[in-house]
Each structure stands twice: as structure tokens, then as C-alpha cells.
Amino acid sequence: MREVDYRFYRVRNGVPVDELYAKGAPSIRFQSAASVMRSLSGVFKHTDKANWFIDRIRAEMTLDGVTSPLGVFAVSSLSEDYGSGESADNIEAMDYGLLVKQVSTEGILHLSAGTGYIDQIKTMLRECGLNAIYSDADTSSLQTDREDWEEGTSYLTIVNTLLSEINFNPLWFDAEGGARLTKYQAPSVRNIKNVFKSGDDSIIADSCTIVQDIYQPYNVFKVIVSNADLTQPMTAVSVNSDPRSPISTAQLKRRIMAPIVKLDNIASQEALQAHADKLRDNSQIASEAITFTTANVAGHGYLDTIALSHERLDGIYQETDWTMQLSYSGKMTHKAKRILYI
């Protein structure tokens, strides 16, 4: 039998200062398509000690004696309810993407040609008060001087734009509160993170929902970069010709072009081609979306590749969203998309 417990701590300057006591079952949600991806919602016993402008909430799960972090959150909304002689705090909180979203440009941001993309992004994150920043290696630098953003543009918008120009994923935060700058990696059997199987001692429920989308079987993708600072426009085309894919040119016997994507900037021709290839890869993930339920498990993050062996579901999927109800009998709801080209 699983032995599970959840704890919440008020953290100041990275140090837990006291424990928060939940009333009912808080929930944690991760949405990969959201600008701020990880969020916490719950009701907690009121505390007069907190300064939620600077204090944070750390959530942990202990399963069979092993403790795992579930996220570090900045409070975004707070209301106090009083009744029967006691107060309770209704709290909505988000990961540190909220801190990056709250900071914006003062004046016009000038970026010089030759500036390293990752160096500039790290500088901006530190200006938001973040120090735990983990980045995949990349030496790309800006091709031209840049003054692309109006005054008052959120740092999160700028950071994610710069990340997209070097074929990185959007900024996301791990369960420890660390900022993650990660290269896009096409999901495959080589990077499976979690496996769920039906059978004895299984934690996956037998019910599930499957939605098919066969309306837009694009198999040709074109991306163009054009601005006055470039000597000539840059173009990249990616074609899904894989005979294993049901929507490929080989299977459909025709080319179906997706709407042309136009970008303002890109780090290099190689990055532009990678962007087109990413559009091609993503087109083969979107046709079958599923929802399934398991017992709560820690360790899930951004667009994890998962394998399922289930009465109705069998294959490799990319997890797009998940929600955990943090109670002893709480369940974890997963949303994922089948990878059709594997």
C-alpha cells in the first residue's frame, strides 16, 4: 500500500521558515502551453507572519518515505475568509515565471549584434531576482542590433522570443524553482521519462478519453525571416515524407502546406531549419489527444515523453498538461498527445 503525505512551507530568501497547513486538498497544475506553466491553488490556515510580496510557498510530496519537490510558488492572489472564530487564506500561486512576467522594459531595450543569446537571457532573469538558472549549451549570438520591443514589454515575452530564435523551448521552471533553458528535442523512444502500465499494482485507471483531429493533415512547412537589417530574406522548408506517418506525403500522395510562418529574427539558417523541422514534428503529435488518470507521482515537468501500456492506450505520447489533487486519495489527471511518427 502506498504511504503518501504532502507538506507546504513558507519560504523566505530560499529558507523554509514555517509550515503551512492545508484545509482540504490543494491542487497543482502544469500547462505546457501557458506563459506561466506551474500553478498552485488551495486553502490554508491563516498566518499573520507571512509577507506574500516576498515569501514563497514550497510544496513537497513524500511517497513511501521518499520526499520529492512539487514546486516553488509566488502568491498571485490572496483572500482571507473568517468564520467560526478562525481565518483561512484562499491562495492562488504561480511558479517563478510570474516574477519574469511582472518585470517589463523601462525605455527601449537595445541589444547589440554579437551578444550571446543565453548571456542576454540570463542577464534579464537575474534582473527579475532569479539566481538558479540552468541552461543547455548554446553559443548563438545576435546577427544584428536589436530594438524590437516597445517600452513596457514583459521580460517573459522577450525571453521567450529570444529562446525561440535559437530553437529552445519556452522558459519553464522545475519543481525546485530553478529556471530551465532547454533545447527543443523531438520526442522519441530515446527520451521516455515515465512509463505507465496496466496490471497488478498498477497506478493507472482503466478509464480514459481519446479525441481525434484529422481536419488539417499538413505535411509541408515553410518559415521565412525578413527584416531590413538582413542582406536577404531567409527561408527554410521541412517536409514530412516519412512513410510511417499517416499524414506524410508518402501516405497521402499529395503535399498539403501549412500556413507560412513569418519571423522577425532568427539566430542562424541552421536555427531556422530547426524551427521548420519543429513545426513538422509537432504536426505529427496533434492528431490524437488523450486524458487519463493515475495515482499521484512526482517528477513530471515540461512536455515529458511518456509510454503507455493500457487496455485502450498503447504507444508513445507527449504529456502536455497534468493536475495533482494533493490528498491521501488524490488523483493525477494527465493530458497527452500521441506521437504518430514513432
Side-chain angles (χ1 to χ4, degrees):
M1 179 179 293
R2 289 163 49 99
E3 294 185 2
V4 62
D5 184 39
Y6 304 95
R7 292 186 181 272
F8 307 88
Y9 298 94
R10 181 170 63 92
V11 176
R12 181 170 294 182
N13 298 323
V15 179
V17 291
D18 56 30
E19 188 170 354
L20 300 174
Y21 297 96
K23 300 170 71 69
S27 64
I28 291 177
R29 186 176 187 186
F30 194 100
Q31 299 169 280
S32 62
S35 58
V36 181
M37 300 180 190
R38 192 184 301 252
S39 61
L40 167 71
S41 176
V43 180
F44 298 85
K45 183 178 178 181
H46 176 71
T47 174
D48 290 321
K49 300 177 181 179
N51 177 355
W52 292 121
F53 290 104
I54 59 174
D55 291 345
R56 311 300 178 214
I57 299 175
R58 177 183 175 89
E60 294 181 349
M61 172 182 178
T62 300
L63 175 62
D64 297 334
V66 178
T67 298
S68 301
L70 297 178
V72 182
F73 304 90
V75 173
S76 58
S77 174
L78 173 69
S79 63
E80 181 184 344
D81 291 333
Y82 179 83
S84 302
E86 63 178 21
S87 292
D89 292 331
N90 291 275
I91 290 177
E92 301 288 336
M94 298 181 176
D95 68 33
Y96 286 172
L98 176 64
L99 307 184
V100 186
K101 189 174 183 177
Q102 289 174 334
V103 177
S104 59
T105 55
E106 301 177 36
I108 300 300
L109 177 66
H110 175 81
L111 305 181
S112 299
T115 300
Y117 273 88
I118 296 299
D119 290 340
Q120 177 61 37
I121 291 167
K122 286 183 175 180
T123 294
M124 297 180 73
L125 294 181
R126 292 189 185 104
E127 290 178 12
C128 298
L130 302 176
N131 295 307
I133 306 170
Y134 307 96
S135 176
D136 290 346
D138 189 90
T139 58
S140 301
S141 58
L142 300 178
Q143 295 190 74
T144 62
D145 288 348
R146 302 278 291 275
E147 291 184 347
D148 296 6
W149 301 279
E150 296 180 357
E151 183 175 13
T153 301
S154 168
Y155 271 27
L156 186 58
T157 297
I158 299 171
V159 164
N160 281 337
T161 298
L162 295 175
L163 287 170
S164 71
E165 292 178 10
I166 55 175
N167 200 40
F168 269 51
N169 296 313
L171 174 68
W172 63 280
F173 288 82
D174 60 28
E176 295 274 12
R180 292 287 177 172
L181 312 177
T182 54
K183 280 185 179 292
Y184 167 75
Q185 185 178 32
S188 74
V189 294
R190 294 184 297 275
N191 55 24
I192 292 173
K193 188 172 181 181
N194 292 288
V195 178
F196 297 103
K197 294 182 178 181
S198 298
D200 294 341
D201 300 322
S202 173
I203 64 170
I204 186 171
D206 59 1
S207 60
C208 63
T209 301
I210 303 168
V211 178
Q212 293 278 356
D213 178 10
I214 59 174
Y215 180 68
Q216 296 176 324
Y218 299 131
N219 51 31
V220 179
F221 303 86
K222 187 173 185 178
V223 187
I224 298 173
V225 176
S226 179
N227 70 54
D229 294 320
L230 295 175
T231 56
Q232 61 183 8
M234 301 168 64
T235 301
V237 176
S238 187
V239 179
N240 173 13
S241 58
D242 190 337
R244 298 171 298 173
S245 169
I247 59 175
S248 69
T249 55
Q251 288 283 356
L252 297 182
K253 308 301 182 186
R254 65 189 191 276
R255 293 167 66 95
I256 303 176
M257 178 175 281
I260 295 174
V261 175
K262 296 181 179 180
L263 304 177
D264 293 328
N265 265 288
I266 199 75
S268 63
Q269 181 64 44
E270 181 183 20
L272 184 62
Q273 186 61 54
H275 189 99
D277 292 344
K278 180 180 179 179
L279 295 175
R280 178 201 62 201
D281 293 346
N282 287 344
S283 74
Q284 300 179 74
I285 297 174
S287 68
E288 181 180 297
I290 65 167
T291 302
F292 66 98
T293 304
T294 68
N296 285 339
V297 284
H300 288 246
Y302 174 74
L303 292 183
D304 291 342
T305 303
I306 60 177
L308 297 178
S309 180
H310 175 270
E311 290 92 335
R312 179 59 182 85
L313 307 171
D314 189 63
I316 309 299
Y317 295 78
Q318 186 178 67
E319 187 176 47
T320 58
D321 297 61
W322 52 263
T323 302
M324 298 176 68
Q325 294 294 328
L326 305 184
S327 65
Y328 179 78
S329 58
K331 302 299 182 182
M332 187 172 187
T333 302
H334 310 253
K335 294 183 179 181
K337 294 180 179 180
R338 181 188 287 275
I339 302 168
L340 296 178
Y341 55 87
I342 291 181

Short mmCIF file of all heavy atoms in Angstrom, two decimals, residues 268-289:
data_model
loop_
_atom_site.label_atom_id
_atom_site.label_comp_id
_atom_site.label_asym_id
_atom_site.label_seq_id
_atom_site.Cartn_x
_atom_site.Cartn_y
_atom_site.Cartn_z
N SER A 268 20.31 31.88 -36.88
CA SER A 268 21.11 31.36 -38.00
C SER A 268 20.21 30.59 -38.94
O SER A 268 19.05 30.28 -38.62
CB SER A 268 22.22 30.44 -37.47
OG SER A 268 21.65 29.31 -36.82
N GLN A 269 20.75 30.24 -40.11
CA GLN A 269 20.00 29.40 -41.05
C GLN A 269 19.74 28.02 -40.43
O GLN A 269 18.67 27.44 -40.63
CB GLN A 269 20.79 29.23 -42.36
CG GLN A 269 20.07 28.40 -43.41
CD GLN A 269 18.78 29.04 -43.90
OE1 GLN A 269 18.73 30.24 -44.16
NE2 GLN A 269 17.72 28.23 -44.01
N GLU A 270 20.70 27.54 -39.68
CA GLU A 270 20.52 26.24 -39.01
C GLU A 270 19.36 26.30 -38.02
O GLU A 270 18.54 25.38 -37.95
CB GLU A 270 21.81 25.86 -38.28
CG GLU A 270 21.73 24.51 -37.56
CD GLU A 270 23.01 24.20 -36.80
OE1 GLU A 270 23.78 25.13 -36.51
OE2 GLU A 270 23.23 23.01 -36.49
N ALA A 271 19.27 27.40 -37.26
CA ALA A 271 18.17 27.54 -36.30
C ALA A 271 16.84 27.68 -37.02
O ALA A 271 15.80 27.20 -36.55
CB ALA A 271 18.42 28.76 -35.40
N LEU A 272 16.85 28.34 -38.19
CA LEU A 272 15.62 28.49 -38.96
C LEU A 272 15.14 27.13 -39.46
O LEU A 272 13.94 26.83 -39.41
CB LEU A 272 15.85 29.45 -40.13
CG LEU A 272 14.62 29.78 -40.98
CD1 LEU A 272 13.57 30.48 -40.14
CD2 LEU A 272 15.01 30.63 -42.18
N GLN A 273 16.07 26.31 -39.95
CA GLN A 273 15.68 24.98 -40.40
C GLN A 273 15.15 24.14 -39.24
O GLN A 273 14.18 23.39 -39.39
CB GLN A 273 16.87 24.28 -41.06
CG GLN A 273 16.53 22.93 -41.69
CD GLN A 273 15.49 23.06 -42.79
OE1 GLN A 273 15.67 23.85 -43.72
NE2 GLN A 273 14.40 22.30 -42.68
N ALA A 274 15.79 24.28 -38.08
CA ALA A 274 15.33 23.55 -36.89
C ALA A 274 13.91 23.99 -36.51
O ALA A 274 13.10 23.17 -36.06
CB ALA A 274 16.29 23.77 -35.73
N HIS A 275 13.61 25.28 -36.70
CA HIS A 275 12.27 25.78 -36.40
C HIS A 275 11.25 25.14 -37.33
O HIS A 275 10.16 24.72 -36.89
CB HIS A 275 12.25 27.30 -36.56
CG HIS A 275 11.00 27.95 -36.08
ND1 HIS A 275 10.89 28.55 -34.84
CD2 HIS A 275 9.77 28.07 -36.64
CE1 HIS A 275 9.67 29.02 -34.67
NE2 HIS A 275 8.97 28.74 -35.77
N ALA A 276 11.58 25.05 -38.62
CA ALA A 276 10.68 24.41 -39.58
C ALA A 276 10.51 22.93 -39.26
O ALA A 276 9.40 22.38 -39.33
CB ALA A 276 11.21 24.59 -41.00
N ASP A 277 11.60 22.27 -38.88
CA ASP A 277 11.52 20.85 -38.52
C ASP A 277 10.67 20.65 -37.27
O ASP A 277 9.94 19.64 -37.16
CB ASP A 277 12.93 20.30 -38.27
CG ASP A 277 13.77 20.21 -39.54
OD1 ASP A 277 13.18 20.28 -40.65
OD2 ASP A 277 15.00 20.10 -39.41
N LYS A 278 10.72 21.60 -36.34
CA LYS A 278 9.89 21.52 -35.14
C LYS A 278 8.41 21.60 -35.50
O LYS A 278 7.59 20.85 -34.94
CB LYS A 278 10.28 22.63 -34.18
CG LYS A 278 9.48 22.65 -32.88
CD LYS A 278 9.96 23.79 -31.98
CE LYS A 278 9.15 23.86 -30.69
NZ LYS A 278 9.62 24.96 -29.81
N LEU A 279 8.06 22.49 -36.43
CA LEU A 279 6.68 22.57 -36.89
C LEU A 279 6.24 21.24 -37.51
O LEU A 279 5.12 20.77 -37.28
CB LEU A 279 6.53 23.70 -37.91
CG LEU A 279 6.76 25.12 -37.40
CD1 LEU A 279 6.68 26.11 -38.56
CD2 LEU A 279 5.76 25.49 -36.32
N ARG A 280 7.13 20.64 -38.29
CA ARG A 280 6.83 19.33 -38.88
C ARG A 280 6.62 18.28 -37.80
O ARG A 280 5.65 17.51 -37.84
CB ARG A 280 7.98 18.90 -39.80
CG ARG A 280 7.81 17.54 -40.45
CD ARG A 280 9.15 17.00 -40.90
NE ARG A 280 10.04 16.81 -39.77
CZ ARG A 280 11.37 16.75 -39.87
NH1 ARG A 280 11.97 16.92 -41.05
NH2 ARG A 280 12.10 16.55 -38.79
N ASP A 281 7.51 18.24 -36.82
CA ASP A 281 7.39 17.25 -35.74
C ASP A 281 6.08 17.44 -34.98
O ASP A 281 5.37 16.48 -34.68
CB ASP A 281 8.57 17.38 -34.77
CG ASP A 281 9.90 16.98 -35.41
OD1 ASP A 281 9.88 16.37 -36.49
OD2 ASP A 281 10.94 17.31 -34.82
N ASN A 282 5.78 18.70 -34.64
CA ASN A 282 4.58 18.97 -33.85
C ASN A 282 3.30 18.61 -34.59
O ASN A 282 2.30 18.25 -33.98
CB ASN A 282 4.54 20.44 -33.43
CG ASN A 282 5.55 20.77 -32.35
OD1 ASN A 282 6.08 19.87 -31.69
ND2 ASN A 282 5.83 22.03 -32.15
N SER A 283 3.34 18.69 -35.92
CA SER A 283 2.14 18.34 -36.69
C SER A 283 1.79 16.87 -36.54
O SER A 283 0.64 16.47 -36.73
CB SER A 283 2.36 18.66 -38.17
OG SER A 283 3.22 17.70 -38.79
N GLN A 284 2.77 16.07 -36.19
CA GLN A 284 2.55 14.63 -36.07
C GLN A 284 2.23 14.21 -34.64
O GLN A 284 2.11 13.03 -34.35
CB GLN A 284 3.80 13.89 -36.57
CG GLN A 284 4.10 14.19 -38.03
CD GLN A 284 5.34 13.48 -38.51
OE1 GLN A 284 5.33 12.27 -38.73
NE2 GLN A 284 6.42 14.22 -38.67
N ILE A 285 2.10 15.18 -33.77
CA ILE A 285 1.75 14.90 -32.38
C ILE A 285 0.29 15.29 -32.10
O ILE A 285 -0.32 14.78 -31.18
CB ILE A 285 2.69 15.68 -31.43
CG1 ILE A 285 4.12 15.20 -31.61
CG2 ILE A 285 2.27 15.52 -29.98
CD1 ILE A 285 5.13 16.00 -30.82
N ALA A 286 -0.28 16.13 -32.96
CA ALA A 286 -1.53 16.79 -32.60
C ALA A 286 -2.80 16.05 -32.96
O ALA A 286 -3.88 16.51 -32.62
CB ALA A 286 -1.56 18.17 -33.25
N SER A 287 -2.76 14.93 -33.66
CA SER A 287 -4.00 14.35 -34.18
C SER A 287 -4.76 13.50 -33.17
O SER A 287 -5.95 13.30 -33.32
CB SER A 287 -3.71 13.52 -35.43
OG SER A 287 -2.97 12.38 -35.09
N GLU A 288 -4.09 12.98 -32.13
CA GLU A 288 -4.79 12.18 -31.12
C GLU A 288 -4.44 12.70 -29.73
O GLU A 288 -3.32 12.58 -29.27
CB GLU A 288 -4.42 10.70 -31.22
CG GLU A 288 -5.14 9.83 -30.19
CD GLU A 288 -4.79 8.36 -30.30
OE1 GLU A 288 -5.07 7.76 -31.34
OE2 GLU A 288 -4.20 7.83 -29.34
N ALA A 289 -5.42 13.29 -29.06
CA ALA A 289 -5.23 13.82 -27.71
C ALA A 289 -5.96 12.92 -26.72
O ALA A 289 -7.09 12.50 -26.97
CB ALA A 289 -5.76 15.24 -27.62
#
